[in-house]
Amino acid sequence: MGRGTLRIYLGAAPGVGKTYAMLAEAHRRVERGTDCVVALVEHHDRPRTEVMLHGLEQIPRSEIDYRSAVFTEMDVDAVLERAPAVALVDELAHTNVPGSRNAKRWQDVEELLKAGIDVISTVNIQHLESLGDVVESITGVRQQETVPDEVVRRADQIELVDMSPQALRRRMAHGNIYQPDKLDAALSNYFRPGNLTALRELALLWTADRVDEYLQQYRGEHNIRTTWQARERIVVGLTGGPEGRTLIRRASRMAAKGSGSEILAVYIARSDGLTSASPKELAVQRTLVEDVGGTFHHVIGDDIPAALLEFARGVNATQIVLGSSRRKTWQYIYGPGVGATVARESGPDLDVHIVTHEEVAKGRGLPIARGARLGRARIVSGWLVGVAGPVLLSLLLRSLENGPGLANDVLLFLFLTVAAALLGGLRPALASAAVGVMLLNYWFTPPTQTLTVQDPENFVAIVIFFAVAVAVSSVVDLAARRTHQAARLRAESEILSFLAGSVLRGETALDALLERVRETFAMESVALLERASDVDPWTCAGFVGPAPVARPDDADVDMPVGDNMALALSGRVLPAEDRRVLGAFAAQAAVVLDRQRLVSEADRARRLAEGNRIRTALLAAVSHDLRTPLAGIKAAVSSLRSDDVAWSPEDEAELLEGIEDGADRLDHLVGNLLDMSRLQTGTVTPLIREIDLDEVVPMALGGVPEGSVDLDIPETLPMVAVDPGLLERVVANVVENAVKYSPGGEPIAVAASAHGERVELRVVDRGRGVPDEAKERIFEPFQRYGDAPRGAGVGLGLAVSRGFAEAMGGTLDAEDTPGGGLTMVLTLTAAPGREQAQDRAVLPAEATS
């Protein structure tokens, strides 16, 4: 029995209708006579989804006891025994209750697929394992239930269930997703418009990439070389010249006109390593390509136009951007140039853009060195000049009544021999010398039309001609081979320089290095394999390209790195001379892999050390500050409950007031601890909107004694773009801290002023002040300056305040107060304009991350 097929409905967020679409598909299949059952569907008490279950056969769930509670999960054995044609399994990323057959639901689905059962399932984009960090940075929530990307990518069909954020929020407001008691919290947290828009974009982009993979696979299976313009892909041809930056920027502007366009910059180098490109300029252009969101590719090819078109068609490009030729007019005698050739041979499926630039017709600079590996056309030309040239020259000289003389005839034949050496190398030159000797002897040396030489001087002339021709041919061939060796060493030095530069720059991307290996040696796939010992199986530490090999023995080329690591390449067999550079790449790959692991271990150790430091500081700081109010509350409660004393109403009121004060202090301490925890984990997500300072600051002064603050906020101040809740916490902490350290009876000043696009709120006290060297230290967690009394807090107020200020795009700094004391300066971003801000203030808050 063959493997079943997997169809997945992918959504951006809960409630977009994945389960509903899956059940609708089940009803369609049942109507067509397909044996379809519900293995497990979670309707979450949504009426419309629950109605869709009517008329479908449901497999009873299995019950599992866990921690004195009963849970239900999909009964895999019952589904396998029922053996339907199609099974519906909801929530692919779900984690099964301990004691289940498998740890994850996607593993249950794998069993059904292996049994030949087709499965229809659902999953949200935030549950893909590779997107966990991205989703956490957007929503502030870490997804605990994930599914490996490869499981979803292997699906036979992936259908995106899409819905706009506004429509989803309306559906929630109508009560179609969550119960009314959970509605407000959901709309104001996870289901904010900004979160939903970002998740929707992730889902669309992920699906588009998957569709692109299907397309590339189909084109490869059917050997389709023409371009299908389903998506704009712009290939930029780079020569390493100064015009490359202009081409990249022009391609970026072209890509910006269409959503989803891609930029692929490609530099094509000859297989012999000869190049006139500047490595420094290529590095600058590579950085520029990455800055505009494109990718850089290094391709090997002797025929530049053919290699460029092959690359463009291989990536299904729709446009090619090339620069106008830098050749001077006379240099066109060598051919029409790359641009004209690509435009002529591109066909109707590729648009070629020739972009002008400042380097047009200024020449190519140093000529490209010619190597000893000559193309077929040059070798044929060399043989024609070396063999046919002397024959034609003989006919021409014989047609003249008065020839130039034997000495001049020898020089003309010698010229053809040198030309044959320059074009075709040593062999055509030797053949030209031999043919020239025969023709000179037969036609131009008395007696003519015989192979004998009567005059000794003529014999010497012919011998010298042959010797000179052979010597010149040998010198020319030797120079060509030396030039090739020098060019190859230059190419190797450039590659080794790149590797050394990557070490100095601290680049640790293993995939990028393996991709460089694949492009440099024109391979199909490259894999870095390793094993623990000689008897253990090989494992893949990283790979690029399709179908990487699992063992070095299966590769076309393998380069050992130590005893238990190897770089395996597939695609073609490399010559022995390339293995030296490949060995450098392999050694660098091993270094990069070790560095990645060391960085990961260092990050883990740093996080553990930071956690230990915070825990130690927390224990030291709260050992007294939390127990003091608890002790006061405990004493007051015990006194009130005592039967030995009859408390008067005034005494009871005083004890209750003490309990309330202690509870308020505890609440304040715990609130600061929780806020610091949120800042440390990066889960603070402000809701930015435009508001007047005089709406927030007075509310923040509710916790300080009356008359202890002089408030000065002008009505003409512009509105500020802040999170009102976070701003209130910042102001309250800063003001309470200032009141605490201000001399008794002297109020602090809270004043606001506008400075261009900034609004400053200054909290001024007349206390002892803080030395310059301690001004930054007071913003660190668990820091209390000077002789602050115990019970005055755990030293988190200013740290939390600065964290909240920076989360809103502002700053919080400490300055000296003229005449003594400390001034806290809170800088916020001013709104664009008052009228516009007032209009927008009534709109719903917009979530940003």
Side-chain angles (χ1 to χ4, degrees), residues 637-658:
V637 171
S638 298
S639 298
L640 289 173
R641 296 189 62 188
S642 175
D643 297 329
D644 300 331
V645 180
W647 299 103
S648 65
E650 292 79 11
D651 293 334
E652 289 183 357
E654 184 178 354
L655 290 173
L656 291 174
E657 183 179 358

Side-chain angles (χ1 to χ4, degrees), residues 268-288:
I268 301 175
R270 298 180 184 275
S271 60
D272 55 11
L274 299 176
T275 176
S276 61
S278 166
K280 181 178 180 180
E281 181 64 27
L282 274 179
V284 172
Q285 294 176 14
R286 183 185 193 119
T287 302
L288 180 58

Side-chain angles (χ1 to χ4, degrees), residues 674-693:
L674 293 176
D675 290 338
M676 197 66 231
S677 175
R678 292 171 61 200
L679 289 171
Q680 291 285 344
T681 57
T683 57
V684 176
T685 306
L687 298 175
I688 304 297
R689 66 186 182 94
E690 297 170 1
I691 194 169
D692 285 313
L693 279 180

Side-chain angles (χ1 to χ4, degrees), residues 592-611:
V592 169
L593 180 61
D594 291 339
R595 180 181 297 161
Q596 283 183 345
R597 290 172 176 171
L598 289 175
V599 169
S600 177
E601 292 176 4
D603 288 341
R604 191 180 306 111
R606 186 162 49 250
R607 288 194 298 268
L608 290 174
E610 181 66 15

Side-chain angles (χ1 to χ4, degrees), residues 426-542:
L426 180 61
R427 293 182 181 180
L430 293 177
S432 178
V435 173
V437 167
M438 297 295 294
L439 293 175
L440 282 172
N441 188 7
Y442 189 82
W443 290 110
F444 303 103
T445 304
T448 59
Q449 299 184 8
T450 65
L451 295 178
T452 60
V453 180
Q454 184 175 2
D455 190 348
E457 294 181 359
N458 294 338
F459 178 82
V460 172
I462 292 175
V463 172
I464 292 176
F465 161 76
F466 184 79
V468 170
V470 172
V472 169
S473 302
S474 301
V475 170
V476 170
D477 182 72
L478 179 62
R481 285 188 284 111
R482 291 290 184 266
T483 301
H484 166 70
Q485 294 172 359
R488 181 170 184 82
L489 291 175
R490 175 185 172 186
E492 291 182 3
S493 67
E494 290 178 1
I495 294 174
L496 295 176
S497 175
F498 163 81
L499 290 176
S502 66
V503 173
L504 295 176
R505 291 190 299 269
E507 296 176 358
T508 57
L510 181 60
D511 291 343
L513 180 63
L514 296 181
E515 181 64 26
R516 178 69 183 238
V517 174
R518 189 175 73 90
E519 292 179 351
T520 299
F521 297 101
M523 289 293 182
E524 293 180 359
S525 65
V526 178
L528 182 63
L529 307 177
E530 63 175 352
R531 58 183 178 181
S533 64
D534 294 338
V535 297
D536 291 324
W538 290 93
T539 59
C540 184

